[in-house]
Amino acid sequence: MRYLRLPVGAGALVEFDVNQGDAEPVTLYEGRVESMLLSDLGPLDSPTRLYGYVWTTGAQVIIRYYEARPPNSAARVPICAVVRMAKGQMRKLPGSPPGIAVLKYSRGGVFIVDKFL
């Protein structure tokens, strides 16, 4: 994160799945995801694309990002970021089938971390 000068804890707003913008509720599938920054994250301007992985096992969804591709750039840069939302807002809605998570909101906060736990 030193390369981008992003301190741990820096955050922004992200659309979880670019293919489902503003969909509420949103359906996320276990596996790779392409998301989009809705606000700037340090030197990463909106609408930078974020590439990561969604885990749907358990009561809450986990989204981690490994790469970012700024607008008008073909180059991807490594990042280490996670989605976090308060008050259980990453909790799957009842009836979400295995491997799929239905969430009330399609957007949330993405935050830089120093490593994944």
Side-chain angles (χ1 to χ4, degrees), residues 9-18 20-26 28 33-41 46 48 50 61-65 81-91 103-112:
L13 185 63
V14 66
E15 183 76 48
F16 298 143
D17 185 344
V18 295
Q20 300 182 68
D22 288 330
E24 291 185 356
V26 66
L28 299 177
V33 68
E34 180 181 8
S35 301
M36 181 176 65
L37 285 178
L38 298 173
S39 60
D40 297 346
L41 180 58
S46 173
T48 291
L50 301 179
V61 176
I62 297 171
I63 306 174
R64 294 178 178 169
Y65 298 108
V82 298
V83 170
R84 291 189 180 138
M85 292 176 62
K87 300 180 183 176
Q89 292 175 341
M90 292 302 288
R91 188 169 298 280
L103 297 177
K104 184 174 182 179
Y105 302 104
S106 65
R107 308 170 166 192
V110 61
F111 296 90
I112 298 299

Side-chain angles (χ1 to χ4, degrees), residues 46-99:
S46 173
T48 291
R49 300 298 174 104
L50 301 179
Y51 299 93
Y53 200 90
V54 175
W55 283 269
T56 61
T57 305
Q60 297 203 117
V61 176
I62 297 171
I63 306 174
R64 294 178 178 169
Y65 298 108
Y66 304 97
E67 292 181 314
R69 184 175 50 84
N72 303 317
S73 174
R76 292 186 185 194
V77 292
I79 64 167
C80 191
V82 298
V83 170
R84 291 189 180 138
M85 292 176 62
K87 300 180 183 176
Q89 292 175 341
M90 292 302 288
R91 188 169 298 280
K92 295 186 296 189
L93 293 178
S96 295

